[in-house]
Amino acid sequence: MASEFQTGGECPNQCVRGTQRPDCSCHCPPGWTGLECNTPSTGGDTWRIPELGMCTKTCMNGVVNPATCTCLCYPGWTGPTCSQLSRAKRQANCACPGNGFTPQEKQALVDRHNFHRANVNPMASDMTRMVWDDDLANCDAQAYANRCIWAHGTVDLTGCPYDFSTPQYRGQNLFPYPAFTAHKPHDIAKMVVDSFYGEVQYYEYLLNKCATGKHCGQYKQVVWAISNRLGCGIAYCSTGSPFEQIPNWWNVVCHYFPVGNYMFQKPYINGDGCSRCPEGTGGCTPDKKLCITAYECKINPSACGDHGCNKQCVNGYISSATCMCMCHLGWTGPLCDQPICVKHCGANANLNTETCMCICKQGWTGPLCDQKVDCTKNCGANGNLNTQTCTCICNQGWTGPLCDQQTCTKNCGANGNLNTQTCTCICNQGWTGPLCEQQVCTKNCGANGYLNSQTCTCICNQGWTGTLCDQQICTKNCGANGNLNTQTCTCICNQGWTGTLCDQRVCNKQCVYGTLDSQSCTCNCFPRWGGALCDQYLGGGCSKRCIHGYLDYPRCTCVCQPGWTGPTCNKRECPNNCVRGTQRPDCSCQCPPGWTGLDCNTPSTVCQKNCGPHGTLHVPSCTCRCEPGWTGTLCTKRLCTKTCMNGVVNPATCTCLCYPGWTGPTCSQRE
């Protein structure tokens, strides 16, 4: 039996931080051990990249940036090796913006991420399960979404430094969507996450490569194994739209922690599910696909259940026998994440025991809040004082040096809600206008009338009535030989009668040498012929002389040459038809009042309406009668019935606006 480690075959170990030997074993650099050189042999995190040489830096509370051989510290830590406490998580006088997603939508966003993470191909051995993080969502993602900018970046709230406010701490995915109403799209969570994940079609896992000219970053962030906290925000925007001719749009921003998409790294390690869970965990979801992190166990202990010890000791090591953290000197707490603090803040501050920092009272500053701030500014009830800069940080809807000026006093009434950031009204469905005071009218008057948008009523063309101008006004008289169908304005004739007015007898008689009188159902015979069917020759000759034609002797009639007419072909045919007039002897037309032209077919009245290529002018009423599929007073508005498979219809142009990743006239083709 041949060895499974054949030359040219795949090795089961990936040597994440080492080099591959011919026998498929890994040669690990200093500071690393294990089958794949993925387990630190000392405290902290180290890294090696063959192209850049050996980096032996140890990051106590962070990870190594292999590109620069520097430490990227976890929130709350700083220093060259991430060993020094940094700022508090949030200042006491800062408030995060409210999140635009409902609790149900937040859970749907988490569930859809975990669905794709659990079903990656090839399977992941170290994929962690994501959980929602309110700080990421509200203080970072929502704050950035509110800026209404279609570009990657960070949020900078003056006086409010947050742990996730710099790019090295978190990843960022963006999703825009055209807003035809102020109501969020249905199933927005699935739409957003599936759009991110859709880039998988361009990514090659084995080569860790994206197709030329394509983007894979958002897909890789969704399935980045160690990114286990998610926070998203959504904002309705009227500026910065990425869609042409559509000013209003939804801006969705999702942030991830820890950040993914490091250079030279694959998003996860291929292998059996939960076979390489990060150190400090060990629990796994029931389907054996996702690792449960210590952070999830901390915020939701019931998530761990009997699936193993999921603790991750931040500043200590875990006892496998008791599943308890043994803390380093100066640290305490179940996860060794609480510093033992002996700082004394005095009477001018309160101690934050979690961060071991002093929260100063108004008028005081300094590490121990023992430095008086010469600031007597009063920000009132509409803002908070930043004692370090002696400036007011105003609440939403207020501005000015003392936060005493309201930014917007617009009244949207009962039909809309005020967006205080943009001072615009977001109207309820069925309403429009600057103050949501105009009702949106969707009535369709069809081809027999036009819409009065002010009153939302149909103005019917002559001969039509009804609320939608779909009932024809009928004055037809069917007489004694039929009955009127008022819905279709047609005569239903009695047996033996026909014609539009039921005034013609049904007659099957054929006159051989004569013409049929349909009223009396009798034959009018040509000269020298008789009988009921004009088929009896009466004798005698025919003395008729045809001037410009030849004689049909049996019928004793003249067959005229082209351009001549009359019983003896002695009258010249006129080129004009005199549609609405009478013919003069010289072939000219005598037109009635209101008409002119060679054939009396041109209106001489004031109506100058142009119905274009999709309608005809009805002169008496001076209105346009539109072809099927067109409407409007001048037949210029197309009735749109387009269906977009993976997008939405732009009613202005009757074209499809495709979701990201789709193209084609009906958004049915993948980019």
Side-chain angles (χ1 to χ4, degrees):
M1 180 174 178
S3 170
E4 64 182 19
F5 303 129
Q6 301 179 45
T7 302
E10 285 193 7
C11 293
N13 304 323
Q14 298 190 31
C15 298
V16 177
R17 295 181 174 87
T19 55
Q20 199 96 47
R21 296 190 180 99
D23 63 353
C24 278
S25 64
C26 292
H27 177 69
C28 301
W32 293 95
T33 185
L35 289 176
E36 295 180 333
C37 303
N38 200 27
T39 303
S41 57
T42 60
D45 184 31
T46 62
W47 197 271
R48 178 187 187 276
I49 293 182
E51 294 86 344
L52 302 177
M54 179 70 69
C55 177
T56 58
K57 182 178 286 289
T58 299
C59 303
M60 301 306 296
N61 297 286
V63 294
V64 175
N65 182 342
T68 60
C69 195
T70 57
C71 288
L72 298 175
C73 300
Y74 297 140
W77 295 90
T78 187
T81 59
C82 302
S83 60
Q84 303 171 23
L85 276 172
S86 67
R87 59 181 178 238
K89 195 165 196 177
R90 93 166 49 94
Q91 290 186 358
N93 62 348
C94 290
C96 299
N99 197 277
F101 285 112
T102 65
Q104 294 79 8
E105 290 168 338
K106 294 176 183 177
Q107 187 60 49
L109 286 164
V110 173
D111 292 344
R112 197 61 182 171
H113 272 83
N114 286 329
F115 169 81
H116 286 307
R117 291 167 70 86
N119 294 284
V120 291
N121 184 22
M123 181 181 290
S125 62
D126 59 342
M127 189 72 72
T128 58
R129 183 164 69 179
M130 277 193 173
V131 296
W132 186 264
D133 189 301
D134 280 331
D135 277 348
L136 266 178
N138 303 339
C139 306
D140 197 19
Q142 185 64 50
Y144 187 72
N146 289 346
R147 296 180 66 186
C148 295
I149 298 175
W150 174 233
H152 287 285
T154 61
V155 64
D156 182 15
L157 302 180
T158 303
C160 297
Y162 299 105
D163 284 342
F164 305 105
S165 63
T166 49
Q168 69 261 34
Y169 291 149
R170 55 102 182 106
Q172 183 182 74
N173 280 357
L174 306 177
F175 176 81
Y177 189 84
F180 297 112
T181 69
H183 297 275
K184 277 184 291 186
H186 174 68
D187 207 6
I188 182 67
K190 182 177 183 298
M191 187 188 308
V192 168
V193 183
D194 287 356
S195 173
F196 297 157
Y197 188 82
E199 293 178 356
V200 65
Q201 62 184 311
Y202 308 123
Y203 179 69
E204 176 56 49
Y205 177 85
L206 292 177
L207 300 177
N208 191 26
K209 183 179 179 182
C210 191
T212 303
K214 301 297 181 181
H215 299 283
C216 303
Q218 300 206 124
Y219 157 73
K220 290 179 69 177
Q221 181 61 79
V222 168
V223 299
W224 198 265
I226 65 170
S227 296
N228 56 69
R229 301 192 210 177
L230 171 71
C232 300
I234 184 172
Y236 179 88
C237 298
S238 299
T239 60
S241 173
F243 302 102
E244 292 185 5
Q245 300 179 352
I246 302 180
N248 299 329
W249 61 296
W250 293 99
N251 187 20
V252 180
V253 178
C254 284
H255 284 171
Y256 305 80
F257 179 84
V259 62
N261 278 340
Y262 281 120
M263 189 181 298
F264 308 124
Q265 289 191 52
K266 294 180 179 180
Y268 58 87
I269 300 174
N270 174 225
D272 293 335
C274 294
S275 62
R276 293 182 178 87
C277 288
E279 188 176 2
T281 65
C284 187
T285 55
D287 59 2
K288 302 298 181 183
K289 292 183 177 181
L290 299 176
C291 304
I292 302 175
T293 64
Y295 176 77
E296 183 176 357
C297 292
K298 178 181 178 181
I299 63 173
N300 183 19
S302 64
C304 298
D306 299 327
H307 302 306
C309 180
N310 296 279
K311 284 185 179 177
Q312 187 172 2
C313 304
V314 180
N315 297 287
Y317 60 92
I318 195 165
S319 169
S320 58
T322 62
C323 193
M324 295 180 62
C325 288
M326 311 301 292
C327 299
H328 297 318
L329 185 65
W331 294 91
T332 187
L335 298 177
C336 300
D337 57 349
Q338 301 174 18
I340 299 175
C341 184
V342 295
K343 184 177 289 186
H344 179 66
C345 298
N348 304 318
N350 297 307
L351 178 65
N352 185 330
T353 56
E354 290 186 6
T355 61
C356 197
M357 295 183 67
C358 293
I359 308 300
C360 299
K361 296 179 181 179
Q362 187 167 337
W364 295 88
T365 187
L368 298 178
C369 300
D370 54 357
Q371 302 173 24
K372 189 171 181 63
V373 177
D374 187 17
C375 182
T376 58
K377 187 175 289 186
N378 182 8
C379 301
N382 304 316
N384 297 293
L385 180 64
N386 183 333
T387 56
Q388 302 209 359
T389 61
C390 195
T391 57
C392 290
I393 301 174
C394 300
N395 299 337
Q396 189 173 357
W398 295 88
T399 186
L402 298 179
C403 301
D404 54 356
Q405 302 172 21
Q406 198 166 5
T407 54
C408 185
T409 58
K410 186 176 288 186
N411 182 9
C412 302
N415 305 317
N417 297 297
L418 180 64
N419 183 333
T420 55
Q421 292 190 348
T422 61
C423 196
T424 57
C425 290
I426 301 176
C427 300
N428 299 335
Q429 190 171 6
W431 294 88
T432 187
L435 299 177
C436 301
E437 77 284 3
Q438 302 174 16
Q439 194 168 7
V440 177
C441 184
T442 58
K443 187 175 289 185
N444 182 5
C445 302
N448 304 314
Y450 61 91
L451 180 67
N452 184 332
S453 57
Q454 296 290 330
T455 60
C456 196
T457 57
C458 290
I459 309 299
C460 299
N461 297 338
Q462 189 173 0
W464 295 86
T465 186
T467 55
L468 299 178
C469 299
D470 54 355
Q471 300 174 22
Q472 196 168 10
I473 299 173
C474 187
T475 57
K476 189 175 287 185
N477 183 8
C478 301
N481 303 318
N483 296 297
L484 179 64
N485 183 332
T486 56
Q487 292 188 348
T488 61
C489 195
T490 57
C491 291
I492 302 176
C493 299
N494 298 337
Q495 189 172 2
W497 294 87
T498 186
T500 56
L501 298 177
C502 299
D503 55 355
Q504 302 174 17
R505 283 185 180 275
V506 175
C507 183
N508 298 320
K509 186 177 289 187
Q510 294 183 355
C511 303
V512 180
Y513 290 107
T515 58
L516 178 66
D517 184 348
S518 59
Q519 295 288 338
S520 61
C521 197
T522 58
C523 290
N524 295 322
C525 299
F526 298 141
R528 300 181 299 108
W529 293 89
L533 299 177
C534 299
D535 56 352
Q536 300 176 19
Y537 184 61
L538 302 179
C542 180
S543 60
K544 182 177 288 187
R545 180 171 175 266
C546 301
I547 307 301
H548 296 284
Y550 63 89
L551 180 65
D552 181 350
Y553 191 83
R555 292 175 173 81
C556 196
T557 58
C558 288
V559 179
C560 299
Q561 296 174 358
W564 295 90
T565 187
T568 60
C569 301
N570 62 338
K571 293 182 178 180
R572 183 177 294 278
E573 286 187 339
C574 293
N576 303 322
N577 293 321
C578 297
V579 177
R580 292 181 175 83
T582 56
Q583 197 94 47
R584 295 191 183 99
D586 62 353
C587 280
S588 64
C589 293
Q590 177 70 39
C591 299
W595 295 93
T596 184
L598 292 176
D599 293 327
C600 300
N601 199 27
T602 302
S604 60
T605 57
V606 182
C607 183
Q608 300 295 326
K609 187 174 288 186
N610 181 8
C611 299
H614 304 295
T616 55
L617 180 64
H618 184 253
V619 176
S621 62
C622 195
T623 57
C624 293
R625 294 187 174 178
C626 302
E627 296 176 355
W630 295 84
T631 186
T633 56
L634 297 178
C635 302
T636 56
K637 296 181 180 179
R638 184 188 291 273
L639 295 174
C640 185
T641 59
K642 182 179 284 291
T643 300
C644 301
M645 303 300 294
N646 296 284
V648 294
V649 176
N650 184 340
T653 61
C654 196
T655 57
C656 288
L657 296 172
C658 301
Y659 299 145
W662 293 91
T663 187
T666 59
C667 301
S668 60
Q669 304 172 20
R670 280 278 189 184
E671 288 186 346

